[in-house]
Amino acid sequence: MSITRVLSAALLALGLAAAPAAADSPSASPSGDDGAPTEAGTSFRTATEIEQGQQATASGSTGDYLYWSFPADAGQRPTVKATVKLPEASTRGGAETWQVDVYDGLRRRQACQYGTQTRTAAQDAASVDLSCTLRTVRGWSEPWANDPLPGTYYIRLTATGLGASELGLPVNAEVQVDSKDIGGAAAVDGSLAKPLVPGIATTAETSDSDAGSDATTATLSSIDPDDGWASGWWSDRWVWTAIGGVLAALAGIGGYALTRGSGRASRVSPGA
């Protein structure tokens, strides 16, 4: 087999390995906000569910806690962005500090990898922008760790350190969550039996045998990723594994060809 044919076969194998990765890459979220929520919850249990890519809006008052929830799957790095339109400057007694926090399905507060999670708006400011980019969601983690895991995530937006005269002033909030697919760089060997969705362990699923019975559910979140939980079983980690295997095979064939050629030359007599 010539070196040219070996290289052609290797390129064909790499093309076949990369094709599923390209097919499984997530498509861009739709820009339309049809059906986006226009209110927020006041606690974890009443958090308003939003899809990633939706821009949710809500009206509230300074001093309120505003809650939303969204799903995040393994391999995603969610970014939460919030904009608060503040009351008239003449009604405010001074600067206001706003903060956005993100909690996972176990209500563990998740640290922001980067972003402006807390910001103080001057008295004459018309709005304040906040953002929080979480660490990449892992498919599995040690029980004692605080790593982000697949499941429901909660957004809590509120103002802190308000005076009594500033409580109850009307505000409008906008919240949106977008994720970047990190891929094989964040892949781990392991997965959760169930995503961290509150109540999922007590969800009653209807089977063919009890199709006539009334199935009830205790799930507190009804929004799942578009392709289902743990949909990212394929990642570019498989592609790089295939590339490594092909390169190793090429190195072996090349080494064999070189040593075979030098050995044949040494066996040929000078007078032949």
Side-chain angles (χ1 to χ4, degrees), residues 79-83 97-101 112-120 128-133 157:
T79 296
V80 177
K81 295 182 179 180
T83 299
T97 300
W98 285 82
Q99 180 171 316
V100 61
D101 296 300
C112 299
Q113 190 175 27
Y114 52 85
T116 307
Q117 183 180 6
T118 303
R119 175 168 286 176
T120 300
V128 58
D129 295 324
L130 305 168
S131 66
C132 175
T133 299
L157 179 65

Side-chain angles (χ1 to χ4, degrees), residues 4-200:
T4 302
R5 293 179 63 185
V6 171
L7 291 176
S8 299
L11 292 175
L12 178 60
L14 291 179
L16 293 175
D24 288 347
S25 59
S27 58
S29 300
S31 58
D33 290 329
D34 295 340
T38 56
E39 59 182 12
T42 56
S43 67
F44 286 103
R45 291 185 61 86
T46 61
T48 299
E49 297 177 352
I50 62 174
E51 295 275 8
Q52 291 195 25
Q54 281 186 326
Q55 186 180 67
T57 59
S59 299
S61 303
T62 52
D64 290 344
Y65 285 95
L66 304 178
Y67 288 83
W68 294 266
S69 67
F70 66 93
D73 206 358
Q76 294 183 338
R77 181 184 292 168
T79 296
V80 177
K81 295 182 179 180
T83 299
V84 182
K85 296 180 181 178
L86 303 172
E88 295 289 339
S90 59
T91 63
R92 308 205 310 261
E96 291 184 4
T97 300
W98 285 82
Q99 180 171 316
V100 61
D101 296 300
V102 183
Y103 299 81
D104 65 9
L106 298 179
R107 300 186 186 180
R108 302 177 302 181
R109 184 175 179 272
Q110 291 295 318
C112 299
Q113 190 175 27
Y114 52 85
T116 307
Q117 183 180 6
T118 303
R119 175 168 286 176
T120 300
Q123 182 176 358
D124 58 350
S127 63
V128 58
D129 295 324
L130 305 168
S131 66
C132 175
T133 299
L134 301 178
R135 295 169 294 165
T136 304
V137 178
R138 296 163 57 89
W140 180 85
S141 178
E142 295 289 347
W144 47 262
N146 195 37
D147 296 322
L149 294 170
T152 300
Y153 283 77
Y154 296 93
I155 305 169
R156 186 179 72 180
L157 179 65
T158 189
T160 62
L162 294 175
S165 61
E166 297 173 329
L167 295 174
L169 297 178
V171 294
N172 293 308
E174 297 177 355
V175 171
Q176 182 168 337
V177 182
D178 295 294
S179 287
K180 179 179 180 181
D181 190 0
I182 303 303
V188 295
D189 295 329
S191 61
L192 297 180
K194 294 286 185 180
L196 299 182
V197 177
I200 193 170

